[in-house]
Amino acid sequence: MEKVLTAVTDLEFYLMEGFWAASGDPRVGRFFFMTSFRLPLALLVLYLLSVYLLAPLLVRGRHHLHPHNTPRKCEPPKWHLHLYNLSMTAFSGYIVYHNVLHYQTLLRAILDVHPPSNYLDTSAGTTGLLQQLYLFLLSRYAHLLKPVLAILRRRPVSNSAIYGAFSMACFGWMHYRCAGSVLPLLAAAGALLPLYDCAHHCYALLADLRPELQFNFSLKVLLMKMQLVAWFLLALHLLYYALMLAVYCLQVASVANLMLYGGNVAVYLTLFAYDFFMPNL
């Protein structure tokens, strides 16, 4: 029994910490919650429990405690949502502002046609880019609150929204921990997605303050097009990077990250199409 417990403990340590220390990018290992996957995993489990169990139970419990209230009166006060959208607009806007200030470094990383780095590049430009992408990763974990708040306000939450928030946080951590092997892909995501996030949260904040904007179909279509274009460009960039890897090298870490990234994009686009074309299924 003691040997089994030791083996389980060793396996848990290897999966949560040892593997990432051996295979990860040492340049990002010093950042907060990047040394181990335990804290990200705990946040992701809490997110799934909140989406599928805790938030629905809380909504039903509020309605049972106040059975004579309408569903609208059973909702939490709107200031929670206002604060969240305002914070995410400011955070995403800061990332966009930082991207504009350092656009040359960002473009150079996106269009890089050299083999993946060996983690030895500690120049000021690369170090600044890694710090910039770290802010983008943090925004992915803050984004986990969005589906939970939507459920608490009795708003429909699509499969792509639930999966998108989970996958960008989970796989984003894995990609960033091995940043040197997929830096062009991370740079492309860090350049495109904050633009959509800033516009989306700004619209959500204004729509809550001015309800007539919720019925502005043209704005909703524009936001949907922005999201679709961003993911389509990421898919194109993924193909570009795959061809670059095929020409220059076939590193195991890079190929594994590439397959994980490609699967994430494919599943997200499939769920997006499912929600868009078959809303009644």
Side-chain angles (χ1 to χ4, degrees), residues 213-271:
L213 290 178
Q214 297 179 11
F215 303 98
N216 193 322
F217 187 70
S218 59
L219 286 177
K220 292 183 178 180
V221 170
L222 177 61
L223 287 173
M224 185 177 296
K225 287 181 179 179
M226 285 183 62
Q227 185 181 29
L228 196 57
V229 166
W231 280 95
F232 180 71
L233 290 176
L234 288 178
L236 287 181
H237 187 260
L238 174 66
L239 294 177
Y240 160 81
Y241 190 67
L243 291 175
M244 185 268 288
L245 279 184
V247 171
Y248 284 97
C249 69
L250 286 174
Q251 293 185 5
V252 176
S254 300
V255 173
N257 265 307
L258 184 69
M259 294 175 63
L260 186 63
Y261 189 96
N264 186 29
V265 172
V267 172
Y268 185 85
L269 288 176
T270 301
L271 288 173

Side-chain angles (χ1 to χ4, degrees), residues 86-150:
L86 180 61
S87 301
M88 289 301 294
T89 300
F91 193 18
S92 301
Y94 174 77
I95 295 176
V96 172
Y97 172 73
H98 202 276
N99 288 343
V100 172
L101 287 182
H102 303 87
Y103 73 95
Q104 292 181 337
T105 303
L106 195 62
L107 284 177
R108 195 179 302 117
I110 292 173
L111 301 177
D112 187 12
V113 294
H114 296 88
S117 72
N118 54 2
Y119 305 147
L120 297 179
D121 183 6
T122 56
S123 62
T126 303
T127 303
L129 177 62
L130 290 173
Q131 293 174 352
Q132 186 175 338
L133 294 175
Y134 178 66
L135 293 178
F136 171 67
L137 174 65
L138 293 181
S139 72
R140 296 304 91 193
Y141 279 86
H143 201 70
L144 293 176
L145 285 173
K146 180 184 175 184
V148 178
L149 291 176

Side-chain angles (χ1 to χ4, degrees), residues 27-39:
R27 296 171 296 183
V28 304
R30 60 185 177 84
F31 293 144
F32 172 68
F33 92 143
M34 296 306 301
T35 56
S36 169
F37 191 60
R38 294 186 183 92
L39 180 56

Side-chain angles (χ1 to χ4, degrees), residues 64-80:
H64 290 317
L65 287 175
H66 306 281
H68 301 293
N69 285 346
T70 62
R72 179 68 62 180
K73 290 183 178 179
C74 292
E75 295 177 354
K78 280 190 174 183
W79 70 265
H80 296 94

Side-chain angles (χ1 to χ4, degrees), residues 72 75-83 153 155 207-209 211 214:
R72 179 68 62 180
E75 295 177 354
K78 280 190 174 183
W79 70 265
H80 296 94
L81 208 55
H82 296 341
L83 181 61
R153 292 203 58 80
R155 294 180 178 178
D208 279 333
L209 296 176
Q214 297 179 11

